[in-house]
């Protein structure tokens, strides 16, 4: 039935969107349907699930927990149709702004991008009509000021008294120059120990390889033990109910170690290394290193040692030479060697 508009023009009533498939029972179910039906790569599904779980709190009008409060927290249960609540965009904008103030820009922007992809897919299924994130803007990412760790700092890291899991994880990150999330997504069956390499699934679903050295090769057999499949890096506890099958070791029942927890452990253990003049009593007020420093340091040290640009591109798996510029900043040790090699007094002695 037609009706007259404000200027006498005929206006057709808005057509009702017919869902392409059965409406999921909850937001959580909608997330799982998206992850299993939208062509998301297995290597990316875990990161997507974490981000969409975070958005689950905010889409329910609640702030997402952070830090220790996040561990074990249960997201609210609500129907996916609640996303069309006309009051949600304003509430969501405030919650997203508060989270953006507490988190780094890269994390916030990644989470927003993932949420919009999922919302767009749900709209195409006919489950929801609107996008409550439409008024939320991406945060400008600050320039990368990450500095490579000096060689003596890397050596000090290897001397830390930590467990086998951490020793292996940190060693493979440095020796392979791989991204932390890629390494944490490795399964035992992805490893080729005899070739010192492992198979990862990169963005877009392409298969790529990371390579390691003798340090990692010596630790991996002890870490794997008799396991033949499942996540390489595991938590110390049994996986809680509802953990995706891909993230559970079928032989031990333990869960895959999360990026968040791996980062927490590394940061806590490197606080005194990052602040050598501080006392152990002040450790709670200090900041340690991030896992990304290992990748950054490995590539910077390669560049300092004269590794060719094509090889750096292959090692980093960057698409462009411009992306390598951040690793072209010489570190402390490299500058010290440069100055010493050009010392006139040293030249006369030789």
């Amino acid at each position: 039935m037609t009706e007259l508009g404000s200027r006498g023009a005929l206006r057709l009533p808005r057509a009702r969107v017919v869902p392409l498939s059965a409406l999921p029972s909850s937001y959580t179910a909608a997330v799982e349907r998206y992850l299993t039906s939208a062509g998301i790569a297995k290597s990316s599904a875990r990161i997507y699930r974490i981000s969409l779980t975070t958005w689950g709190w905010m889409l329910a009008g609640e702030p997402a927990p952070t830090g220790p409060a996040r561990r074990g927290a249960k997201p609210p249960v609500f129907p996916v149709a609640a996303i069309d609540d006309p009051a949600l965009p304003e509430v969501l904008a405030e919650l997203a702004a508060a989270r953006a103030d507490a988190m780094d820009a890269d994390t916030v922007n990644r989470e927003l991008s993932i949420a919009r992809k999922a919302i767009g897919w749900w709209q195409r299924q006919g489950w929801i009509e609107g996008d409550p994130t439409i008024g939320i803007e991406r945060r400008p990412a600050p320039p990368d000021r990450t500095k490579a760790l000096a060689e003596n700092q890397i050596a000090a890291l290897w001397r830390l008294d930590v467990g086998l899991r951490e020793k292996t994880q940190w060693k493979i990150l440095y020796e392979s120059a791989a991204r932390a999330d890629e390494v944490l997504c490795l399964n035992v069956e992805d490893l080729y120990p005899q070739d010192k390499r492992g198979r990862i699934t990169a963005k877009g679903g392409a298969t790529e390889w990371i390579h390691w050295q003798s340090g990692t090769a010596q630790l991996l057999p002890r870490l794997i033990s008799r396991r033949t499949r499942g996540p390489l890096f595991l938590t110390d506890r049994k996986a809680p109910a509802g953990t995706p099958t891909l993230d559970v070791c079928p032989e031990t029942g333990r869960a895959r170690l999360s990026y968040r927890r791996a980062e927490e452990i590394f940061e806590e253990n490197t606080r005194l290394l990052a602040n050598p003049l501080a006392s152990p009593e002040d450790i709670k007020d200090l900041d340690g290193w991030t896992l990304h420093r290992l990748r950054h340091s490995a590539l910077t040290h390669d560049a300092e040692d004269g590794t060719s640009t094509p090889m750096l591109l292959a090692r980093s798996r960057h698409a462009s030479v411009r992306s390598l510029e951040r690793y072209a900043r010489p570190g402390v040790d490299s500058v010290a060697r440069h100055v010493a090699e050009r010392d006139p007094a040293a030249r006369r002695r030789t």
Side-chain angles (χ1 to χ4, degrees), residues 184-242:
L184 291 169
C185 283
L186 280 172
N187 289 333
V188 174
E189 58 267 34
D190 296 327
L191 308 181
Y192 292 75
Q194 68 278 12
D195 298 323
K196 297 180 182 176
R197 68 181 182 180
R199 180 184 59 226
I200 62 171
T201 304
K203 295 177 180 179
T207 297
E208 295 183 348
W209 298 89
I210 61 172
H211 305 262
W212 53 79
Q213 299 168 329
S214 298
T216 300
Q218 293 170 3
L219 294 169
L220 276 175
R222 294 166 53 198
L223 179 72
I224 297 171
S225 186
R226 297 180 180 179
R227 291 187 290 138
T228 59
R229 57 199 176 115
L232 175 60
F233 295 103
L234 301 172
T235 58
D236 298 325
R237 302 175 182 177
K238 295 288 185 180

Side-chain angles (χ1 to χ4, degrees), residues 255-274:
R256 187 188 303 275
L257 182 67
S258 70
Y259 185 100
R260 176 187 55 76
R261 182 59 184 146
E263 184 86 317
E264 284 179 357
I265 293 172
F266 187 66
E267 191 273 332
E268 290 171 1
N269 279 278
T270 57
R271 289 177 183 178
L272 288 179
L273 295 183

Side-chain angles (χ1 to χ4, degrees), residues 35 49 53 65-66 68 76 84 89 99 106-108 116 129 135 147 155 203 214 241 261 281 286:
L35 295 177
R49 182 177 288 106
T53 299
T66 58
D84 282 330
R99 180 168 176 78
D106 287 338
T107 298
V108 170
R116 284 177 171 163
E129 295 183 6
K147 294 182 179 179
K203 295 177 180 179
S214 298
R261 182 59 184 146
E281 291 76 20
L286 304 176

Side-chain angles (χ1 to χ4, degrees), residues 42-322:
K42 291 182 179 179
S43 61
S44 302
R46 184 166 165 275
I47 301 299
Y48 274 53
R49 182 177 288 106
I50 292 172
S51 295
L52 291 172
T53 299
T54 297
W55 274 94
W57 271 283
M58 296 192 291
L59 289 169
E62 302 177 17
T66 58
R70 174 65 182 266
R71 197 172 304 137
K74 299 293 184 182
V77 177
F78 62 94
V80 68
I83 292 176
D84 282 330
D85 184 342
L88 182 58
E90 183 177 351
V91 175
L92 193 60
E94 294 181 1
L95 291 171
R99 180 168 176 78
D101 290 339
M103 307 294 290
D104 65 273
D106 287 338
T107 298
V108 170
N109 290 339
R110 181 180 65 249
E111 291 177 345
L112 178 59
S113 175
I114 290 173
R116 284 177 171 163
K117 289 178 182 177
I119 288 171
W121 191 82
W122 294 331
Q123 287 175 320
R124 291 191 292 276
Q125 305 311 304
W127 299 344
I128 60 175
E129 295 183 6
D131 179 358
T133 73
I134 199 164
I136 301 173
E137 297 182 357
R138 291 173 58 87
R139 290 295 174 106
D144 187 349
R145 303 295 185 191
T146 304
K147 294 182 179 179
L149 300 173
E151 292 175 4
N152 66 324
Q153 291 176 308
I154 292 292
L157 179 66
W158 303 149
R159 292 193 297 268
L160 286 180
D161 183 16
V162 296
L164 176 62
R165 181 186 65 187
E166 275 62 56
K167 285 182 179 179
T168 309
Q169 179 197 141
W170 302 348
K171 186 72 78 168
I172 195 173
L173 284 173
Y174 179 71
E175 290 186 351
S176 69
R179 298 175 179 88
D181 57 341
E182 295 171 339
V183 167
L184 291 169
C185 283
L186 280 172
N187 289 333
V188 174
E189 58 267 34
D190 296 327
L191 308 181
Y192 292 75
Q194 68 278 12
D195 298 323
K196 297 180 182 176
R197 68 181 182 180
R199 180 184 59 226
I200 62 171
T201 304
K203 295 177 180 179
T207 297
E208 295 183 348
W209 298 89
I210 61 172
H211 305 262
W212 53 79
Q213 299 168 329
S214 298
T216 300
Q218 293 170 3
L219 294 169
L220 276 175
R222 294 166 53 198
L223 179 72
I224 297 171
S225 186
R226 297 180 180 179
R227 291 187 290 138
T228 59
R229 57 199 176 115
L232 175 60
F233 295 103
L234 301 172
T235 58
D236 298 325
R237 302 175 182 177
K238 295 288 185 180
T243 302
T245 305
L246 290 174
D247 292 330
V248 179
C249 174
E251 299 175 19
T252 66
R254 290 151 60 194
R256 187 188 303 275
L257 182 67
S258 70
Y259 185 100
R260 176 187 55 76
R261 182 59 184 146
E263 184 86 317
E264 284 179 357
I265 293 172
F266 187 66
E267 191 273 332
E268 290 171 1
N269 279 278
T270 57
R271 289 177 183 178
L272 288 179
L273 295 183
N275 303 273
L277 300 181
S279 65
E281 291 76 20
D282 299 326
I283 192 169
K284 291 184 178 180
D285 299 321
L286 304 176
D287 290 325
W289 297 329
T290 62
L291 287 172
H292 177 66
R293 295 287 289 274
L294 295 175
R295 169 177 165 84
H296 189 102
S297 301
L299 294 172
T300 298
H301 295 164
D302 277 356
E304 292 172 349
D305 291 338
T307 301
S308 67
T309 297
M311 182 57 68
L312 284 174
L313 281 172
R315 279 265 281 164
S316 66
R317 288 171 289 110
H318 279 304
S320 68
V321 175
R322 185 173 182 179

